[in-house]
Coordinates of all heavy atoms in Angstrom, one line a residue:
M1 N -48.3 41.8 -85.4 CA -47.9 43.1 -84.9 C -46.4 43.1 -84.9 O -45.7 42.2 -84.5 CB -48.5 43.3 -83.5 CG -48.0 44.6 -82.9 SD -48.5 44.8 -81.2 CE -49.9 45.9 -81.6
S2 N -45.8 44.2 -85.4 CA -44.3 44.3 -85.4 C -43.8 44.6 -84.0 O -44.5 45.2 -83.2 CB -43.9 45.3 -86.4 OG -44.3 46.6 -86.0
A3 N -42.6 44.2 -83.7 CA -42.0 44.5 -82.4 C -41.6 46.0 -82.4 O -41.2 46.6 -83.4 CB -40.7 43.6 -82.2
I4 N -41.6 46.5 -81.2 CA -41.2 47.9 -81.0 C -40.0 47.9 -80.1 O -40.0 47.3 -79.1 CB -42.4 48.7 -80.3 CG1 -43.6 48.6 -81.1 CG2 -41.9 50.1 -80.0 CD1 -44.8 49.2 -80.4
F5 N -38.9 48.5 -80.6 CA -37.7 48.5 -79.9 C -37.3 49.9 -79.5 O -37.5 50.9 -80.3 CB -36.5 47.9 -80.8 CG -36.7 46.5 -81.0 CD1 -37.3 46.0 -82.1 CD2 -36.2 45.6 -80.1 CE1 -37.5 44.6 -82.3 CE2 -36.4 44.2 -80.3 CZ -37.0 43.7 -81.4
V6 N -36.6 50.1 -78.4 CA -36.0 51.3 -78.0 C -34.6 51.0 -77.8 O -34.2 50.2 -77.0 CB -36.6 51.8 -76.7 CG1 -35.9 53.1 -76.3 CG2 -38.1 52.0 -76.8
D7 N -33.7 51.7 -78.6 CA -32.3 51.4 -78.5 C -31.6 52.4 -77.6 O -31.5 53.6 -77.9 CB -31.7 51.6 -79.9 CG -30.2 51.1 -80.0 OD1 -29.7 50.9 -78.9 OD2 -29.7 51.1 -81.1
M8 N -31.3 52.0 -76.4 CA -30.7 52.8 -75.4 C -29.2 53.0 -75.6 O -28.7 54.0 -75.4 CB -31.0 52.3 -74.0 CG -32.5 52.0 -73.7 SD -33.5 53.5 -74.0 CE -33.1 54.4 -72.5
E9 N -28.6 52.0 -76.0 CA -27.2 51.9 -76.4 C -27.1 50.9 -77.5 O -28.0 50.1 -77.6 CB -26.3 51.5 -75.2 CG -26.4 52.4 -74.0 CD -25.3 53.5 -74.0 OE1 -24.3 53.2 -74.7 OE2 -25.5 54.5 -73.4
D10 N -26.0 50.9 -78.2 CA -25.9 49.9 -79.3 C -26.0 48.5 -78.7 O -26.5 47.6 -79.3 CB -24.6 50.0 -80.0 CG -24.6 51.2 -81.0 OD1 -25.7 51.7 -81.3 OD2 -23.6 51.7 -81.4
D11 N -25.4 48.2 -77.5 CA -25.3 46.9 -77.0 C -26.5 46.6 -76.0 O -26.6 45.5 -75.5 CB -24.0 46.7 -76.2 CG -22.8 46.8 -77.1 OD1 -23.0 46.6 -78.3 OD2 -21.7 47.2 -76.6
D12 N -27.3 47.6 -75.7 CA -28.3 47.4 -74.7 C -29.7 47.8 -75.3 O -30.2 48.9 -75.1 CB -28.0 48.3 -73.5 CG -29.0 48.2 -72.4 OD1 -29.6 47.1 -72.3 OD2 -29.1 49.1 -71.5
I13 N -30.3 46.9 -76.0 CA -31.6 47.2 -76.6 C -32.7 46.7 -75.7 O -32.8 45.6 -75.2 CB -31.7 46.5 -78.0 CG1 -30.7 47.0 -78.9 CG2 -33.1 46.7 -78.6 CD1 -30.6 46.3 -80.3
M14 N -33.6 47.7 -75.4 CA -34.7 47.4 -74.5 C -36.0 47.3 -75.4 O -36.2 48.1 -76.3 CB -34.9 48.5 -73.5 CG -36.0 48.4 -72.6 SD -36.1 49.7 -71.4 CE -36.4 51.1 -72.4
R15 N -36.9 46.4 -75.1 CA -38.1 46.3 -75.9 C -39.1 47.4 -75.4 O -39.4 47.4 -74.2 CB -38.7 44.9 -75.8 CG -37.9 43.9 -76.5 CD -38.5 42.5 -76.6 NE -39.9 42.6 -77.1 CZ -40.2 42.4 -78.3 NH1 -39.3 42.2 -79.2 NH2 -41.5 42.4 -78.7
A16 N -39.5 48.2 -76.3 CA -40.4 49.3 -75.9 C -41.8 48.7 -75.5 O -42.5 49.4 -74.8 CB -40.5 50.3 -77.0
D17 N -42.1 47.5 -76.0 CA -43.4 47.0 -75.7 C -43.5 46.6 -74.2 O -44.5 46.3 -73.7 CB -43.9 45.9 -76.6 CG -42.8 44.8 -76.8 OD1 -41.8 44.8 -76.2 OD2 -43.1 43.8 -77.6
A18 N -42.3 46.7 -73.5 CA -42.3 46.5 -72.1 C -43.1 47.6 -71.4 O -43.6 47.5 -70.3 CB -40.9 46.5 -71.5
F19 N -43.4 48.7 -72.1 CA -44.2 49.8 -71.6 C -45.7 49.5 -71.7 O -46.5 50.3 -71.3 CB -43.9 51.1 -72.3 CG -42.5 51.7 -72.0 CD1 -41.5 51.6 -72.9 CD2 -42.3 52.3 -70.8 CE1 -40.2 52.1 -72.6 CE2 -41.1 52.8 -70.5 CZ -40.0 52.7 -71.4
S20 N -46.0 48.4 -72.3 CA -47.4 48.0 -72.5 C -48.3 49.0 -73.2 O -49.4 49.3 -72.8 CB -48.1 47.6 -71.1 OG -47.3 46.6 -70.5
L21 N -47.7 49.6 -74.3 CA -48.5 50.5 -75.1 C -48.7 49.9 -76.5 O -47.9 49.2 -77.0 CB -47.7 51.8 -75.3 CG -47.4 52.6 -74.0 CD1 -46.4 53.8 -74.4 CD2 -48.6 53.1 -73.4
S22 N -49.9 50.2 -77.0 CA -50.2 49.7 -78.3 C -49.5 50.6 -79.4 O -49.0 51.7 -79.1 CB -51.7 49.7 -78.6 OG -52.1 51.1 -78.6
R23 N -49.5 50.1 -80.6 CA -48.9 50.9 -81.7 C -49.6 52.2 -81.8 O -49.0 53.3 -82.0 CB -49.0 50.1 -83.0 CG -48.3 50.8 -84.2 CD -48.4 50.0 -85.4 NE -47.8 50.7 -86.5 CZ -46.6 50.5 -86.9 NH1 -45.8 49.7 -86.3 NH2 -46.1 51.3 -87.9
K24 N -50.9 52.2 -81.7 CA -51.7 53.4 -81.8 C -51.3 54.4 -80.6 O -51.2 55.6 -80.9 CB -53.2 53.1 -81.7 CG -54.1 54.3 -81.7 CD -55.5 54.0 -81.6 CE -56.4 55.2 -81.6 NZ -57.8 54.9 -81.4
E25 N -51.1 53.9 -79.4 CA -50.7 54.8 -78.3 C -49.3 55.4 -78.6 O -49.1 56.5 -78.2 CB -50.7 54.0 -77.0 CG -52.2 53.7 -76.6 CD -52.2 52.7 -75.4 OE1 -51.5 51.7 -75.4 OE2 -53.0 53.0 -74.5
W26 N -48.4 54.5 -79.1 CA -47.1 55.0 -79.5 C -47.2 56.2 -80.5 O -46.5 57.2 -80.3 CB -46.2 53.9 -80.0 CG -45.5 53.1 -79.0 CD1 -45.8 51.8 -78.7 CD2 -44.5 53.5 -78.1 NE1 -45.0 51.4 -77.6 CE2 -44.2 52.4 -77.2 CE3 -43.8 54.7 -77.9 CZ2 -43.2 52.4 -76.2 CZ3 -42.8 54.7 -76.9 CH2 -42.5 53.6 -76.1
V27 N -48.0 56.0 -81.5 CA -48.1 57.0 -82.5 C -48.7 58.3 -81.9 O -48.2 59.4 -82.2 CB -49.0 56.5 -83.7 CG1 -49.4 57.7 -84.6 CG2 -48.4 55.4 -84.5
E28 N -49.7 58.2 -81.0 CA -50.3 59.3 -80.4 C -49.2 60.1 -79.5 O -49.2 61.3 -79.5 CB -51.5 58.9 -79.6 CG -52.7 58.6 -80.4 CD -53.8 58.0 -79.6 OE1 -53.7 57.9 -78.4 OE2 -54.8 57.6 -80.3
L29 N -48.4 59.3 -78.8 CA -47.4 59.9 -77.9 C -46.3 60.6 -78.8 O -46.0 61.8 -78.5 CB -46.7 58.8 -77.1 CG -47.4 58.5 -75.8 CD1 -46.7 57.2 -75.2 CD2 -47.4 59.6 -74.8
I30 N -45.9 60.0 -79.8 CA -44.9 60.6 -80.7 C -45.4 61.8 -81.3 O -44.8 62.9 -81.3 CB -44.4 59.6 -81.8 CG1 -43.6 58.4 -81.1 CG2 -43.6 60.3 -82.8 CD1 -43.3 57.2 -82.0
D31 N -46.7 61.8 -81.8 CA -47.3 62.9 -82.5 C -47.5 64.1 -81.5 O -47.4 65.3 -81.8 CB -48.6 62.6 -83.1 CG -48.4 61.7 -84.4 OD1 -47.3 61.7 -84.9 OD2 -49.4 61.1 -84.8
S32 N -47.7 63.8 -80.2 CA -48.0 64.8 -79.2 C -46.7 65.4 -78.7 O -46.8 66.6 -78.3 CB -48.7 64.1 -78.0 OG -50.0 63.7 -78.4
W33 N -45.6 64.7 -78.6 CA -44.5 65.2 -77.9 C -43.2 65.4 -78.7 O -42.3 66.1 -78.2 CB -44.1 64.3 -76.7 CG -45.3 64.3 -75.7 CD1 -46.1 63.3 -75.5 CD2 -45.7 65.4 -74.9 NE1 -47.1 63.6 -74.5 CE2 -46.8 64.9 -74.1 CE3 -45.2 66.7 -74.6 CZ2 -47.5 65.7 -73.2 CZ3 -45.9 67.5 -73.7 CH2 -47.0 67.0 -73.0
I34 N -43.2 65.0 -79.9 CA -42.1 65.2 -80.8 C -42.5 66.2 -81.8 O -43.4 65.9 -82.7 CB -41.6 63.9 -81.5 CG1 -41.3 62.8 -80.4 CG2 -40.4 64.2 -82.4 CD1 -40.3 63.2 -79.4
F35 N -42.0 67.4 -81.8 CA -42.6 68.6 -82.5 C -42.0 68.7 -83.9 O -42.6 69.2 -84.8 CB -42.4 69.9 -81.7 CG -43.0 69.8 -80.4 CD1 -42.3 69.9 -79.2 CD2 -44.4 69.5 -80.2 CE1 -42.9 69.8 -78.0 CE2 -45.0 69.4 -79.0 CZ -44.2 69.5 -77.8
N36 N -40.8 68.2 -84.1 CA -40.1 68.3 -85.4 C -40.6 67.2 -86.3 O -40.6 66.0 -85.9 CB -38.6 68.2 -85.3 CG -37.9 68.3 -86.6 OD1 -37.8 67.3 -87.3 ND2 -37.3 69.5 -86.9
E37 N -41.1 67.5 -87.5 CA -41.7 66.5 -88.4 C -40.8 65.4 -88.8 O -41.1 64.2 -88.8 CB -42.2 67.2 -89.6 CG -43.0 66.4 -90.6 CD -43.5 67.1 -91.8 OE1 -43.6 68.4 -91.7 OE2 -43.8 66.5 -92.8
T38 N -39.5 65.8 -89.1 CA -38.5 64.8 -89.5 C -38.2 63.9 -88.3 O -38.1 62.6 -88.4 CB -37.2 65.5 -90.0 OG1 -37.6 66.3 -91.1 CG2 -36.2 64.4 -90.4
D39 N -38.1 64.4 -87.1 CA -37.8 63.6 -85.9 C -39.0 62.6 -85.6 O -38.7 61.5 -85.3 CB -37.6 64.5 -84.7 CG -36.2 65.2 -84.7 OD1 -35.4 64.9 -85.6 OD2 -36.1 66.2 -83.9
R40 N -40.2 63.1 -85.8 CA -41.3 62.2 -85.7 C -41.3 61.0 -86.7 O -41.5 59.9 -86.3 CB -42.7 63.0 -85.9 CG -43.1 63.8 -84.7 CD -44.6 64.2 -84.9 NE -44.9 64.8 -86.1 CZ -44.8 66.1 -86.3 NH1 -44.5 66.9 -85.4 NH2 -45.2 66.6 -87.5
A41 N -41.0 61.4 -87.9 CA -40.9 60.3 -88.9 C -39.8 59.3 -88.6 O -40.0 58.1 -88.7 CB -40.7 60.9 -90.3
I42 N -38.6 59.8 -88.2 CA -37.5 59.0 -87.9 C -37.8 58.1 -86.7 O -37.6 56.9 -86.7 CB -36.2 59.8 -87.6 CG1 -35.7 60.4 -88.9 CG2 -35.1 58.9 -87.0 CD1 -34.6 61.4 -88.8
L43 N -38.4 58.7 -85.7 CA -38.7 57.9 -84.5 C -39.7 56.8 -84.7 O -39.6 55.7 -84.2 CB -39.1 58.8 -83.3 CG -39.0 58.3 -81.9 CD1 -37.6 57.8 -81.6 CD2 -39.6 59.3 -80.9
K44 N -40.7 57.1 -85.5 CA -41.7 56.1 -85.8 C -41.1 55.0 -86.6 O -41.4 53.8 -86.4 CB -42.9 56.8 -86.6 CG -43.8 57.6 -85.8 CD -44.9 58.3 -86.7 CE -45.7 59.2 -85.9 NZ -46.7 59.9 -86.8
R45 N -40.3 55.3 -87.6 CA -39.6 54.2 -88.4 C -38.7 53.4 -87.5 O -38.6 52.2 -87.7 CB -38.8 54.8 -89.5 CG -39.6 55.7 -90.5 CD -40.5 54.8 -91.4 NE -39.7 54.3 -92.4 CZ -39.9 53.2 -93.1 NH1 -41.0 52.5 -92.8 NH2 -39.1 52.7 -94.0
R46 N -38.1 54.0 -86.5 CA -37.2 53.3 -85.6 C -37.9 52.4 -84.6 O -37.7 51.2 -84.5 CB -36.3 54.3 -84.9 CG -35.3 53.7 -83.9 CD -34.2 53.0 -84.5 NE -33.4 52.4 -83.4 CZ -32.6 51.4 -83.6 NH1 -32.5 50.8 -84.8 NH2 -31.9 50.9 -82.6
L47 N -38.9 53.1 -83.9 CA -39.6 52.4 -82.8 C -40.7 51.4 -83.3 O -40.8 50.3 -82.8 CB -40.2 53.4 -81.8 CG -39.2 54.3 -81.1 CD1 -40.0 55.2 -80.1 CD2 -38.2 53.5 -80.3
L48 N -41.4 51.9 -84.3 CA -42.6 51.1 -84.7 C -42.3 50.1 -85.8 O -42.9 49.1 -85.9 CB -43.7 52.1 -85.1 CG -44.1 53.1 -84.1 CD1 -45.2 54.0 -84.6 CD2 -44.6 52.4 -82.8
D49 N -41.3 50.5 -86.7 CA -41.0 49.6 -87.8 C -39.7 48.9 -87.7 O -39.4 48.0 -88.5 CB -41.0 50.4 -89.1 CG -42.3 51.1 -89.4 OD1 -43.4 50.6 -89.0 OD2 -42.3 52.2 -90.0
G50 N -39.0 49.2 -86.6 CA -37.7 48.4 -86.3 C -36.6 48.7 -87.3 O -35.7 47.8 -87.4
R51 N -36.5 49.8 -87.9 CA -35.5 50.2 -88.8 C -34.2 50.4 -88.1 O -34.1 50.9 -87.0 CB -35.8 51.4 -89.7 CG -37.0 51.3 -90.5 CD -36.7 50.4 -91.7 NE -37.8 50.4 -92.6 CZ -38.6 49.4 -92.9 NH1 -38.4 48.3 -92.3 NH2 -39.6 49.5 -93.7
T52 N -33.1 50.0 -88.7 CA -31.7 50.2 -88.1 C -31.3 51.7 -88.4 O -31.9 52.4 -89.2 CB -30.7 49.3 -88.7 OG1 -30.5 49.6 -90.1 CG2 -31.1 47.8 -88.6
Y53 N -30.3 52.1 -87.6 CA -29.7 53.4 -87.9 C -29.2 53.6 -89.3 O -29.4 54.6 -89.9 CB -28.6 53.7 -86.9 CG -29.0 53.8 -85.5 CD1 -28.4 53.0 -84.5 CD2 -30.0 54.7 -85.1 CE1 -28.8 53.1 -83.1 CE2 -30.3 54.9 -83.7 CZ -29.8 54.1 -82.8 OH -30.1 54.2 -81.5
E54 N -28.6 52.5 -89.8 CA -28.1 52.5 -91.1 C -29.2 52.7 -92.2 O -29.1 53.5 -93.1 CB -27.3 51.3 -91.4 CG -26.0 51.2 -90.6 CD -26.2 50.7 -89.2 OE1 -27.3 50.1 -88.8 OE2 -25.3 50.9 -88.3
Q55 N -30.3 52.0 -92.0 CA -31.4 52.1 -92.9 C -32.0 53.5 -92.8 O -32.4 54.1 -93.9 CB -32.5 51.1 -92.5 CG -32.1 49.6 -92.9 CD -33.0 48.6 -92.3 OE1 -33.6 48.8 -91.2 NE2 -33.2 47.5 -93.0
L56 N -32.1 54.0 -91.6 CA -32.7 55.4 -91.5 C -31.8 56.4 -92.1 O -32.3 57.4 -92.7 CB -32.9 55.7 -90.0 CG -34.0 54.9 -89.3 CD1 -34.0 55.1 -87.8 CD2 -35.4 55.2 -89.9
A57 N -30.5 56.3 -91.9 CA -29.5 57.2 -92.5 C -29.7 57.3 -94.0 O -29.7 58.3 -94.6 CB -28.1 56.8 -92.1
E58 N -29.8 56.1 -94.6 CA -30.0 56.0 -96.1 C -31.3 56.6 -96.5 O -31.4 57.4 -97.4 CB -29.9 54.6 -96.5 CG -29.9 54.4 -98.0 CD -29.7 53.0 -98.5 OE1 -28.8 52.3 -97.9 OE2 -30.4 52.6 -99.4
E59 N -32.4 56.3 -95.8 CA -33.7 56.8 -96.1 C -33.9 58.3 -96.0 O -34.5 58.9 -96.8 CB -34.7 56.1 -95.2 CG -36.2 56.5 -95.5 CD -37.2 55.7 -94.6 OE1 -36.8 54.7 -94.1 OE2 -38.3 56.2 -94.5
F60 N -33.3 58.8 -94.9 CA -33.4 60.3 -94.7 C -32.2 61.1 -95.1 O -32.2 62.3 -94.9 CB -33.7 60.5 -93.2 CG -35.1 60.0 -92.7 CD1 -35.3 58.8 -92.3 CD2 -36.2 60.9 -92.9 CE1 -36.5 58.3 -91.9 CE2 -37.4 60.5 -92.5 CZ -37.6 59.2 -92.0
N61 N -31.2 60.4 -95.7 CA -30.1 61.1 -96.2 C -29.3 61.9 -95.2 O -28.9 63.0 -95.4 CB -30.5 62.0 -97.4 CG -29.3 62.4 -98.3 OD1 -28.3 61.6 -98.4 ND2 -29.3 63.5 -98.9
Y62 N -29.0 61.2 -94.0 CA -28.2 61.7 -93.0 C -27.1 60.7 -92.7 O -27.2 59.5 -93.0 CB -29.0 61.9 -91.7 CG -30.0 63.1 -91.7 CD1 -31.3 62.8 -91.6 CD2 -29.5 64.4 -91.8 CE1 -32.2 63.9 -91.7 CE2 -30.4 65.5 -91.9 CZ -31.8 65.2 -91.8 OH -32.7 66.2 -91.8
S63 N -26.1 61.1 -91.9 CA -25.1 60.1 -91.5 C -25.7 59.2 -90.3 O -26.7 59.6 -89.7 CB -23.9 60.8 -90.9 OG -24.2 61.5 -89.7
D64 N -25.1 58.0 -90.1 CA -25.5 57.2 -89.0 C -25.5 57.9 -87.7 O -26.4 57.8 -86.9 CB -24.7 55.9 -88.9 CG -24.8 55.0 -90.1 OD1 -25.6 55.3 -91.0 OD2 -24.1 54.0 -90.1
R65 N -24.4 58.6 -87.5 CA -24.2 59.4 -86.3 C -25.3 60.4 -86.1 O -25.8 60.6 -84.9 CB -22.8 60.0 -86.3 CG -22.5 60.7 -85.0 CD -21.0 61.3 -85.1 NE -20.7 61.8 -83.8 CZ -19.6 61.6 -83.2 NH1 -18.7 60.8 -83.8 NH2 -19.3 62.1 -82.0
H66 N -25.6 61.1 -87.1 CA -26.7 62.2 -87.0 C -28.0 61.5 -86.7 O -28.8 62.0 -85.8 CB -26.8 62.9 -88.3 CG -27.7 64.1 -88.3 ND1 -27.3 65.3 -87.7 CD2 -29.0 64.3 -88.7 CE1 -28.3 66.1 -87.7 NE2 -29.3 65.5 -88.4
I67 N -28.3 60.4 -87.3 CA -29.6 59.7 -87.0 C -29.6 59.2 -85.5 O -30.6 59.4 -84.8 CB -29.8 58.5 -87.9 CG1 -30.1 58.9 -89.3 CG2 -30.8 57.5 -87.4 CD1 -31.4 59.6 -89.5
K68 N -28.5 58.7 -85.0 CA -28.4 58.2 -83.6 C -28.6 59.4 -82.7 O -29.4 59.2 -81.7 CB -27.0 57.6 -83.3 CG -26.8 56.2 -83.9 CD -25.5 55.7 -83.6 CE -25.2 54.4 -84.3 NZ -23.9 53.8 -84.0
T69 N -28.1 60.5 -83.0 CA -28.3 61.7 -82.1 C -29.8 62.1 -82.1 O -30.3 62.4 -81.1 CB -27.4 62.9 -82.6 OG1 -26.0 62.5 -82.5 CG2 -27.6 64.1 -81.8
R70 N -30.4 62.2 -83.3 CA -31.8 62.6 -83.4 C -32.7 61.6 -82.7 O -33.6 62.0 -82.0 CB -32.2 62.7 -84.9 CG -31.6 63.9 -85.6 CD -32.1 64.1 -87.0 NE -33.3 64.8 -86.9 CZ -33.5 65.9 -87.8 NH1 -32.7 66.2 -88.7 NH2 -34.7 66.5 -87.7
V71 N -32.4 60.3 -82.8 CA -33.2 59.3 -82.1 C -33.0 59.4 -80.6 O -34.0 59.4 -79.9 CB -32.8 57.9 -82.6 CG1 -33.4 56.8 -81.7 CG2 -33.3 57.7 -84.1
Y72 N -31.8 59.6 -80.2 CA -31.5 59.7 -78.7 C -32.3 60.9 -78.1 O -33.0 60.8 -77.1 CB -30.0 59.9 -78.5 CG -29.7 60.2 -77.1 CD1 -29.7 59.2 -76.1 CD2 -29.4 61.5 -76.7 CE1 -29.5 59.5 -74.7 CE2 -29.2 61.8 -75.4 CZ -29.2 60.8 -74.4 OH -28.9 61.2 -73.1
K73 N -32.2 62.1 -78.8 CA -32.9 63.3 -78.3 C -34.4 63.1 -78.3 O -35.1 63.5 -77.4 CB -32.4 64.5 -79.1 CG -31.0 64.9 -78.8 CD -30.6 66.1 -79.6 CE -29.2 66.5 -79.3 NZ -28.7 67.7 -80.1
A74 N -34.9 62.6 -79.4 CA -36.4 62.4 -79.5 C -36.9 61.4 -78.4 O -37.9 61.6 -77.8 CB -36.7 61.9 -80.9
E75 N -36.1 60.3 -78.2 CA -36.5 59.3 -77.2 C -36.5 59.9 -75.8 O -37.4 59.7 -75.0 CB -35.6 58.1 -77.3 CG -35.8 57.1 -78.4 CD -34.8 56.0 -78.4 OE1 -33.7 56.1 -77.7 OE2 -35.0 55.0 -79.2
K76 N -35.5 60.7 -75.6 CA -35.3 61.3 -74.3 C -36.6 62.2 -74.0 O -37.1 62.2 -72.9 CB -34.1 62.1 -74.2 CG -33.7 62.7 -72.9 CD -32.4 63.4 -72.9 CE -32.1 64.1 -71.6 NZ -30.8 64.8 -71.6
Q77 N -37.0 63.0 -75.0 CA -38.2 63.8 -74.9 C -39.4 63.0 -74.7 O -40.2 63.3 -73.9 CB -38.3 64.7 -76.1 CG -39.5 65.6 -76.2 CD -39.5 66.6 -75.1 OE1 -38.5 67.1 -74.6 NE2 -40.7 67.0 -74.7
L78 N -39.5 62.0 -75.5 CA -40.7 61.1 -75.5 C -40.9 60.4 -74.1 O -42.0 60.3 -73.6 CB -40.7 60.1 -76.6 CG -41.9 59.2 -76.8 CD1 -43.1 60.0 -77.2 CD2 -41.6 58.1 -77.8
F79 N -39.8 59.8 -73.6 CA -39.9 59.0 -72.4 C -40.2 59.8 -71.2 O -40.5 59.2 -70.2 CB -38.6 58.1 -72.3 CG -38.5 57.1 -73.4 CD1 -37.2 56.7 -73.8 CD2 -39.6 56.6 -74.1 CE1 -37.1 55.7 -74.8 CE2 -39.5 55.7 -75.1 CZ -38.2 55.2 -75.4
K80 N -40.1 61.1 -71.2 CA -40.5 61.9 -70.1 C -42.0 61.8 -69.9 O -42.5 62.1 -68.8 CB -40.1 63.4 -70.4 CG -38.7 63.7 -70.4 CD -38.5 65.2 -70.7 CE -37.1 65.6 -70.9 NZ -37.0 67.0 -71.3
H81 N -42.7 61.4 -70.9 CA -44.2 61.5 -70.9 C -44.8 60.1 -70.8 O -46.0 60.0 -71.0 CB -44.7 62.2 -72.1 CG -44.1 63.6 -72.2 ND1 -44.5 64.6 -71.3 CD2 -43.1 64.1 -72.9 CE1 -43.8 65.7 -71.6 NE2 -42.9 65.5 -72.5
I82 N -44.0 59.1 -70.6 CA -44.5 57.7 -70.5 C -44.6 57.3 -69.0 O -43.7 57.5 -68.3 CB -43.7 56.7 -71.3 CG1 -43.7 57.1 -72.8 CG2 -44.2 55.3 -71.1 CD1 -42.9 56.2 -73.6

């Protein structure tokens, strides 16, 4: 099983598996509470697959800064429901 990470700050990475959720539960939460399709895809790649901001920026054709903003906003929305 791959590690699930939640990046709160660049220097302060918290393991999302501290929430004791399975990969399936994470997918269900993301699908339920993140309404933008691109944001869902980015968040799944970040949290479930462990992709870096740089990798995501290249994959989705956005700047690193734009990816960080999208991840931050999506995480904020998601974590309200955990």
Side-chain angles (χ1 to χ4, degrees):
M1 174 183 264
S2 63
I4 301 171
F5 291 94
V6 177
D7 189 352
M8 306 305 284
E9 298 270 335
D10 284 343
D11 299 334
D12 183 23
I13 297 176
M14 179 176 67
R15 290 189 52 95
D17 52 1
F19 289 105
S20 300
L21 297 173
S22 69
R23 183 180 180 94
K24 181 181 177 185
E25 290 170 316
W26 278 110
V27 168
E28 290 172 2
L29 278 170
I30 292 168
D31 288 345
S32 295
W33 297 108
I34 307 303
F35 304 118
N36 180 282
E37 185 177 342
T38 302
D39 290 344
R40 279 196 309 270
I42 290 170
L43 198 58
K44 286 177 184 178
R45 300 286 283 155
R46 176 74 181 157
L47 297 182
L48 303 178
D49 299 332
R51 299 289 187 245
T52 65
Y53 292 124
E54 294 78 17
Q55 290 169 328
L56 292 170
E58 185 174 317
E59 181 177 340
F60 290 92
N61 200 29
Y62 290 115
S63 69
D64 293 359
R65 184 178 186 132
H66 188 77
I67 290 291
K68 287 179 183 181
T69 299
R70 289 184 86 134
V71 168
Y72 172 79
K73 288 179 179 180
E75 285 177 345
K76 187 175 177 181
Q77 176 66 27
L78 182 66
F79 294 152
K80 291 178 189 177
H81 303 285
I82 297 179

